[in-house]
Amino acid sequence: DTEVTQTPKHLVMGMTNKKSLKCEQHMGHRAMYWYKQKAKKPPELMFVYSYEKLSINESVPSRFSPECPNSSLLNLHLHALQPEDSALYLCASSQPGNTPQHFGDGTRLSIL
Amino acid sequence: EDKVVQSPLSLVVHEGDTVTLNCSYEVTNFRSLLWYKQEKKAPTFLFMLTSSGIEKKSGRLSSILDKKELFSILNITATQTGDSAIYLCAVAPNTDKLIFGTGTRLQVFP
């Protein structure tokens, strides 16, 4: 088990549904990240929050909406997703600056 | 454009063998290079390298960075079946971003 907890572990949703992915860390980290990982590919950065403020958005479509309610929590709100959005969504955290990122186990998302 | 290239893409060895995984990079504003091991789920952190020529070691794993030639290697000695995984190299061009290579898939057979 990792120190970054993601829920749910699996999610199946239709293209018209609205759902949210959740990520929690209690390591006192002040930077949190969302990555998307397709099968047999490396993780691709989506969003970065630093001190609870969005610092990087890698041109992600607006059907993905991140939220950082406090320094321990990170959400990813999903709406009107496409089948090609099916992937493993990984959350990570670190201290801002040049420190290693620690990953959660991910949410495996399937869009029908 | 920033990029990270790993080789080989795939490696099959027997237990007890020694393996060397390669990572080369081209990035602006290099800050650090990181190695991760990914089995079925979360990538787990192995090493972070910021200075050339200083070996980092953890048990049977070791890694070194060459900032002049822009590459790093990850060595695993006396491999075990539990070492089977995808090994990811990532470079941090600034404080909040990681650029991953495509990974090396290592399979260790008994």
Side-chain angles (χ1 to χ4, degrees):
Chain A
D1 287 342
T2 68
E3 295 178 76
V4 178
T5 304
Q6 291 187 242
T7 55
K9 294 191 186 308
H10 301 275
L11 179 62
V12 179
M13 57 187 285
M15 289 189 284
T16 57
N17 292 156
K18 284 185 181 181
K19 295 285 185 183
S20 297
L21 308 185
K22 297 187 182 300
C23 175
E24 187 169 7
Q25 57 89 12
H26 293 289
M27 293 182 282
H29 291 165
R30 300 301 299 275
M32 296 186 76
Y33 312 79
W34 281 115
Y35 289 85
K36 174 183 177 180
Q37 187 174 26
K38 301 282 277 185
K40 299 187 180 181
K41 298 285 187 183
E44 293 178 15
L45 183 66
M46 300 174 71
F47 302 105
V48 180
Y49 274 82
S50 182
Y51 298 101
E52 296 87 67
K53 288 186 170 37
L54 183 65
S55 61
I56 296 177
N57 176 343
E58 290 286 279
S59 303
V60 179
S62 60
R63 57 187 185 268
F64 296 91
S65 175
E67 178 196 18
C68 189
N70 60 54
S71 60
S72 301
L73 292 174
L74 185 68
N75 299 321
L76 186 64
H77 303 298
L78 314 173
H79 179 228
L81 294 195
Q82 304 297 308
E84 61 265 27
D85 297 322
S86 298
L88 180 68
Y89 288 83
L90 292 163
C91 173
S93 71
S94 73
Q95 291 298 3
N98 202 18
T99 64
Q101 294 179 22
H102 296 269
F103 286 82
D105 282 341
T107 293
R108 192 162 297 281
L109 178 64
S110 298
I111 306 300
L112 301 179
Chain B
E1 183 185 339
D2 296 338
K3 66 177 181 181
V4 179
V5 178
Q6 292 186 245
S7 65
L9 292 179
S10 181
L11 197 51
V12 180
V13 300
H14 287 104
E15 273 192 320
D17 289 350
T18 293
V19 297
T20 298
L21 310 183
N22 304 293
C23 176
S24 62
Y25 62 91
E26 292 177 28
V27 296
T28 53
N29 302 318
F30 174 89
R31 287 185 178 266
S32 60
L33 185 146
L34 297 91
W35 285 97
Y36 287 87
K37 176 183 181 182
Q38 188 173 24
E39 296 173 84
K40 293 195 187 305
K41 297 180 182 177
T44 52
F45 170 71
L46 296 175
F47 299 111
M48 185 171 83
L49 304 155
T50 55
S51 301
S52 274
I54 299 174
E55 185 182 55
K56 294 271 182 109
K57 196 170 171 66
S58 176
R60 296 176 293 103
L61 278 66
S62 64
S63 184
I64 198 161
L65 174 67
D66 186 327
K67 288 169 74 172
K68 184 180 176 186
E69 300 297 330
L70 307 183
F71 78 91
S72 173
I73 60 172
L74 174 69
N75 279 320
I76 308 175
T77 59
T79 52
Q80 302 172 358
T81 55
D83 296 325
S84 297
I86 296 172
Y87 289 83
L88 294 164
C89 173
V91 172
N94 61 35
T95 56
D96 290 336
K97 198 168 179 173
L98 284 182
I99 299 170
F100 282 89
T102 50
T104 293
R105 181 180 294 272
L106 174 65
Q107 294 177 274
V108 182
F109 287 98

